[in-house]
Amino acid sequence: MEEQKRQAALIIELQELLGKQGVLIDASDCAAYSKGARYGDGVSLAVVRPNSHEQVVGIVRICVAYQQPLIVQGANTGLVAASTPDRSGRFLILSLERLKSHIQIDPINRSVEVDAGVSLHELNEALLPYGLFFPIDLAANPSIGGMIAANTGGAKLIKYGDVRQNVLGLRVVLMEPAGEILDLQTALRKNNTGPDLKQLFVGSSGAYGIITRAVLQVHYLPKQTATALVVPRDQAAVLELLQVLERDCSEFLSAFEGISGGALQAVLRQFPSISNPFFPEDCPNYCVLVELSSGITVTHVGFDLQDILNACLERLFGDVVQNAVLGRGAELWHIRHSISEALRHEGRIIAFDVAMPRSSLVAFRADALACIAKDYPWIEARDFGHWADGGFHFNLVWPHLVTQAYDIQTVQAIRSTIYDLVVLRYQGCFSAEHGVGPYNLEFYQRYTSILAQHLAGTLQHSLDPSRLLGLTWFGRELS
Amino acid sequence: MEEQKRQAALIIELQELLGKQGVLIDASDCAAYSKGARYGDGVSLAVVRPNSHEQVVGIVRICVAYQQPLIVQGANTGLVAASTPDRSGRFLILSLERLKSHIQIDPINRSVEVDAGVSLHELNEALLPYGLFFPIDLAANPSIGGMIAANTGGAKLIKYGDVRQNVLGLRVVLMEPAGEILDLQTALRKNNTGPDLKQLFVGSSGAYGIITRAVLQVHYLPKQTATALVVPRDQAAVLELLQVLERDCSEFLSAFEGISGGALQAVLRQFPSISNPFFPEDCPNYCVLVELSSGITVTHVGFDLQDILNACLERLFGDVVQNAVLGRGAELWHIRHSISEALRHEGRIIAFDVAMPRSSLVAFRADALACIAKDYPWIEARDFGHWADGGFHFNLVWPHLVTQAYDIQTVQAIRSTIYDLVVLRYQGCFSAEHGVGPYNLEFYQRYTSILAQHLAGTLQHSLDPSRLLGLTWFGRELS
C-alpha cells in the first residue's frame, strides 16, 4: 500500500514536470519501450520523455527523492538488454528520444555538438551538406547517447576509431549530487587538464550517469572507395593479407570483413536476387571484403584507389590470394549487410560478439569450429568478423528443421564453451562492441578480475550511491 | 625523533627489498632525480629504483605501511613538475628507469607489450626491424609510463591520435588495496566488457596508480612523406588551408604546424647555419609546415605524395596560398625543431601549452598578440602551434637585454591573462599535452568546475585514501 502511494505521488510529480504527454503510463504505450531489439522483454512502471535538459535534471531529482530506480533509453537498439526493464515493473524508463533539438556543427573544428536523443542517421543528414559524417558504420540507427554509453565500434573502426576516440566532450546529469550537471562539454582534441572524467561515462552501459549531450569529432566523407572480395589461400593467409594491406595501403584501409563460406552460402540461399560474385559452383570456404577509401578525388593527378588495390592484390596472387572479385562495392557490401537477416531465416541464431588479438583469430576459429563440429554437430557455423580490429561474430545457427529441439540450456553451454575459449585460451573478451547488460552480466562477473569489479563498483557507488540507475551493477566486494 | 626513526626503518626495509644499489640516499645521487626538465627543483628523502614488477609491489606495500608519500618518475622529462618532489624532503622518488626488461612485439596484432621504464627511443628501435613505430612525435625521449601518465600528444596527433588512443592495455599497481596489481593488460582494439578502467590512469599525472606495463597499438612507418612550408594569405587563410588539406588529402595529413614570423626569425638569427627557405629579404609574417605521409611507396602505380601536395597547393595559389617552399622535408623540420632552443638563446621563455577549438585560433591569436603589445610591449611573441589539433604554444620571450628586469610577478600576470583568454573567452584549456602538476595546479583549481574537481577527488580518494601518491591533489569539497 505504501509502495502504491509512493508510485502514485511520483507519477503526479513527473506529470507536473513533463505534462501528460511526457509521461506514458498505459501498458500498451509502454510496451515498445520495454522490449529490447534482441534481448530484454520487461515491464515498466512508466516511461518519461523529457524534451529538455532541464526536464532530465528535474526527473533525476524526483527519482532520487522518491528512491525510484530508472533505466535510460536512447533508440533502444542495444543488443544486451541494458536499455529495457526487467519483469518486476519497478523501473521507470527515461527515454531521451525527444531530447534532440540541438545539432550545432563547427566545420572548421570538424566537430558537432549534439543532443543525446539525435539518431545516427539524423546526425549524418545534418552533416552531409558540409561533406562530413560521423564514421561509425552500423546496420542499426541508434541514438548518439546510446552509442556513447555502449562505445559502439562498427565496421570502419580500423580507419576512424570507435566512438570513444571521436568523443571530444560530454554533458552528463549525475545521480549524486542528484541532478547536478557535469559539464565536460569541450570541443578540444588536446586537453590534459586533470583526469579525463568523460572517459568514465563512455562504454559504461549508462550505469554511471545520464549522457544528455556530446561534442563529437566528425570526418570528411571519402571521395572514392575501392572494394574487393578476396579469397585467401587459407586461414593463415587472411592475416598475411591484412598485414600487407596495412603496410602498403595503411591510411586507406577502411574495412577488412571476413565472411565464412557458411555465411555467404546462407545469403545466396535466402536471397535469390543476390547472385554469387564467384562462379556459381565456386563458393569459397572463406573470403574477405576489403575496402579502401580516400579523400582524394579520382581526377586528382590520376590517382585511382581501385588501381592501387588491384595492383596490391595482383602482387599477392597465386600465393596469399587465390581469387578475387574487384570493384562492385555496392553489390559486395549488400552481401555483407545481408548476413544477419539471412541467418534469421535459417534458424535460431546464437550470436557472439567477441574480440581477441588479431594474431589469435586463426587458431581460435579452428578450435571453435572443431568444438562445435564435435559436440554439437547439428549446429551450423555462419561466422563473420572484423579481422582488422580483432572483432569476431562467431555466429551459429540452430536450424529450424533438425531433430534436436532448440533448448536454452544447450545454448548456454555453447556460449560458455566459446567464451571460455576466447577469454581463457586466447586472451580475448566476450563483448567487443555490444557492451554489458543483463544479457551478459554473468560473463562480466566470471571473467573480470575481482579487483577490477571492486574498482568498477567503487566508482559506481560514488556516482550512484542508491543504485537507482540501470540494471547493471558492476561491483563486487573484495573478500 | 619519531619521524627520524620512521625514516631510518623505512630505508632499511627498502634496502632489504632492493639491495643497496636499488636505494639512493646521498643527496648528490638523488639530485638529478629531484630536478625537473623545466620546472620543479626539490629535495627527496631517497630514490628507489626497482627492476621488477614484484619490487614495485613491495615498495608500495612498505610505503603504505609506513605512510610514506612517494612520487613516481619515468625519464623525468615532464614539463609541469609532476615527477619531482617539493623542497620538504619528505617524498620518496620511485624511479621506474630500471623497469625495462620487457618489450614483446606482436607484428600481426600490430601491438607491443612494454615495461613502463622503456624509453620512446628504445621502443622505436625495437620496432624498427618490423617496419613499425609508436607514432608520438616529440623532441624529448620520455619513458612509456610517463607518456601514458601525461597522455602525451605530439606533432603527428592529427594522423595517429594521442597516447590514449594507442593504449590497448595497462598493468597498474594500486595504493589501495596496497600493492595489488590491477591487470588490464589486454591487447584488444575492441573491448566493451564493462567500464574501461584503464582510461582512469591515462593522463592523470600518476596520481591514481602506478603504471608498470602497457600494451600499445603501433603503426607502420610511412614510406614516403611530402612537405611544404606554406605562406598563407593571412591568418584566416591558415584555417582555409587546413580545411582544404583535410578534405582533399585527409588520410595523408600528418602535420600542420604553424610558425610565427617571430619564431622563424629567432631560428634564423640564432643558427646562422640554417638558411632562410624563402628569399632572405622575405621572411613571412606567418607560415605553416605541412606534412603528408603515406604507406604507399613512390613506385606504386606512379603515386607520388609530393605531387599530390604540390597540386593541391597550386590550386590554392594566389588566394589561400601566397608562397610556398616545396619538398625539402629534413631542412624544414629542422627549422621547426630548432624553435625552442632558439628562443632559449633570445631570453627567458614564458611557455604556453594551450588548446582550443580550431575555429577559435585566429581570434585568440589576434587578441593575445594585441594584449601583449599593449601591456607588455617589451615582450616578444614567438608562438607556434599544432593548428590541426588546436594545440598552441603561445610562447613569449622576455629578452635578455631590456630595461625591464625579469620578474616572476609579471610573468604570473601574463600567464593569468593568457589563460583567461584561452579558457574563458575561447573555450580552450590551459594544458593541452603537458598535463597537470604543481607547476599549473592553481589553474586546474581555477578553471575546473567544482563538481568535476569533486569527482576527480572522489576517485583519487578511492584509489589512494592516504594521499601518498604524487604531489597533485585533484579533489575539492562541494560546499
Side-chain angles (χ1 to χ4, degrees), chain B residues 4 6 76 100 182 198 220 230 247 254 256 341 431 435:
Chain B
Q4 278 182 9
R6 187 193 67 87
N76 197 14
K100 61 194 304 173
L182 182 65
K198 70 174 179 287
Y220 281 103
V230 181
R247 197 186 60 213
S254 51
F256 190 93
E341 201 189 330
S431 187

Side-chain angles (χ1 to χ4, degrees), chain A residues 96-362:
Chain A
L96 294 178
E97 66 185 345
R98 297 204 300 163
L99 192 74
K100 60 193 307 174
S101 58
H102 187 78
I103 302 183
Q104 189 179 312
I105 298 164
D106 179 348
I108 296 175
N109 198 45
R110 208 158 40 71
S111 67
V112 59
E113 207 177 87
V114 57
D115 276 346
V118 172
S119 77
L120 177 60
H121 293 176
E122 288 164 346
L123 176 60
N124 280 333
E125 224 167 89
L127 290 166
L128 190 59
Y130 299 88
L132 295 167
F133 78 130
F134 187 54
I136 309 297
D137 184 72
L138 300 171
N141 185 24
S143 71
I144 298 304
M147 293 178 77
I148 296 169
N151 188 29
T152 311
K156 308 282 170 83
L157 184 142
I158 196 70
K159 187 173 171 92
Y160 300 104
D162 55 13
V163 168
R164 185 186 301 279
Q165 296 188 6
N166 291 288
V167 171
L168 303 180
L170 284 184
R171 182 191 287 185
V172 182
V173 178
L174 299 181
M175 300 300 288
E176 166 68 29
E180 287 292 308
I181 293 174
L182 182 65
D183 180 359
L184 307 169
Q185 203 176 306
T186 64
L188 306 177
R189 284 173 174 76
K190 268 185 181 161
N191 180 11
N192 280 293
T193 51
D196 190 359
L197 298 174
K198 71 175 178 290
Q199 303 297 341
L200 274 177
F201 303 97
V202 180
S204 305
S205 306
Y208 282 3
I210 302 170
I211 296 163
T212 57
R213 183 172 282 177
V215 185
L216 304 174
Q217 169 171 256
V218 292
H219 297 260
Y220 282 104
L221 283 159
K223 294 206 204 63
Q224 56 172 317
T225 57
T227 323
L229 191 61
V230 181
V231 180
R233 182 192 65 233
D234 52 23
Q235 284 287 289
V238 178
L239 291 174
E240 293 174 44
L241 176 64
L242 174 59
Q243 277 187 287
V244 170
L245 287 170
E246 285 204 336
R247 197 186 60 213
D248 293 349
C249 317
S250 48
E251 55 270 350
F252 300 128
L253 188 64
S254 50
F256 189 92
E257 301 281 296
I259 301 173
S260 66
L264 178 57
Q265 282 161 19
V267 170
L268 298 175
R269 197 159 41 228
Q270 296 301 328
F271 303 109
S273 66
I274 297 180
S275 61
N276 186 347
F278 302 98
F279 289 106
E281 69 282 10
D282 192 25
C283 191
N285 283 329
Y286 207 87
C287 56
V288 182
L289 176 55
V290 172
E291 185 193 83
L292 307 184
S293 57
S294 172
I296 312 256
T297 53
V298 184
T299 55
H300 207 343
V301 285
F303 173 94
D304 187 296
L305 211 52
Q306 190 72 50
D307 286 349
I308 289 177
L309 179 56
N310 297 356
C312 189
L313 294 174
E314 194 154 342
R315 285 198 306 278
L316 302 172
F317 195 77
D319 175 21
V320 173
V321 172
Q322 220 169 52
N323 195 1
V325 174
L326 305 176
R328 297 158 64 177
E331 180 192 341
L332 297 181
W333 274 107
H334 183 53
I335 292 174
R336 169 66 184 80
H337 286 315
S338 301
I339 296 174
S340 290
E341 203 189 327
L343 299 193
R344 274 194 293 276
H345 290 297
E346 302 232 311
R348 297 279 293 262
I349 299 174
I350 308 168
F352 289 92
D353 167 43
V354 301
M356 65 204 80
R358 308 184 323 189
S359 38
S360 299
L361 285 166
V362 171

Side-chain angles (χ1 to χ4, degrees), chain B residues 223-479:
Chain B
K223 293 207 205 60
Q224 56 172 316
T225 58
T227 323
L229 190 62
V230 181
V231 180
R233 182 191 66 232
D234 52 22
Q235 283 287 291
V238 178
L239 291 174
E240 294 174 43
L241 176 64
L242 174 59
Q243 277 187 285
V244 171
L245 287 171
E246 285 204 337
R247 197 186 60 213
D248 294 348
C249 316
S250 48
E251 57 269 350
F252 300 129
L253 188 64
S254 51
F256 190 93
E257 300 283 297
I259 302 174
S260 67
L264 179 57
Q265 282 160 21
V267 169
L268 299 176
R269 200 158 40 228
Q270 296 300 329
F271 303 108
S273 66
I274 297 179
S275 62
N276 186 346
F278 303 99
F279 289 107
E281 70 279 11
D282 192 27
C283 191
N285 284 328
Y286 206 87
C287 55
V288 182
L289 176 56
V290 173
E291 185 192 84
L292 308 184
S293 56
S294 174
I296 313 258
T297 53
V298 183
T299 55
H300 208 343
V301 285
F303 173 94
D304 186 296
L305 211 53
Q306 190 72 50
D307 286 349
I308 290 178
L309 179 56
N310 296 357
C312 188
L313 294 174
E314 193 154 341
R315 286 197 306 278
L316 302 171
F317 195 76
D319 175 22
V320 172
V321 172
Q322 222 171 48
N323 195 0
V325 176
L326 305 175
R328 296 158 66 177
E331 180 192 340
L332 297 180
W333 274 107
H334 184 52
I335 292 174
R336 169 65 185 78
H337 286 315
S338 301
I339 295 174
S340 290
E341 201 189 330
L343 300 192
R344 275 195 292 276
H345 290 298
E346 301 231 313
R348 299 278 293 259
I349 299 174
I350 308 168
F352 290 91
D353 166 43
V354 300
M356 65 203 80
R358 308 184 322 189
S359 39
S360 298
L361 284 166
V362 171
F364 159 75
R365 185 168 184 265
D367 273 8
L369 289 176
C371 156
I372 297 298
K374 176 170 163 289
D375 295 333
Y376 310 95
W378 68 94
I379 300 280
E380 291 166 354
R382 300 282 180 262
D383 61 292
F384 50 103
H386 322 286
W387 287 59
D389 59 47
F392 210 80
H393 298 294
F394 187 72
N395 285 8
L396 306 171
V397 171
W398 188 311
H400 290 307
L401 298 171
V402 286
T403 48
Q404 287 80 357
Y406 183 88
D407 79 287
I408 193 69
Q409 283 74 28
T410 303
V411 170
Q412 294 296 30
I414 293 173
R415 288 179 76 201
S416 272
T417 303
I418 298 298
Y419 285 153
D420 275 356
L421 204 57
V422 169
V423 179
L424 306 179
R425 191 173 313 169
Y426 293 108
Q427 286 74 52
C429 70
F430 66 91
S431 187
E433 50 184 348
H434 295 175
V436 173
Y439 170 70
N440 55 8
L441 189 62
E442 67 175 287
F443 298 103
Y444 168 81
Q445 288 158 348
R446 186 191 298 178
Y447 298 122
T448 309
S449 76
I450 291 173
L451 190 59
Q453 290 185 52
H454 173 72
L455 184 49
T458 302
L459 300 180
Q460 194 167 354
H461 182 76
S462 304
L463 289 159
D464 180 20
S466 304
R467 287 200 203 171
L468 296 177
L469 193 57
L471 276 161
T472 307
W473 169 242
F474 288 112
R476 178 137 157 189
E477 290 308 308
L478 291 178
S479 52

Side-chain angles (χ1 to χ4, degrees), chain B residues 158-170:
Chain B
I158 195 70
K159 187 173 171 91
Y160 300 103
D162 56 14
V163 168
R164 184 186 301 280
Q165 295 187 7
N166 292 287
V167 172
L168 303 180
L170 284 185

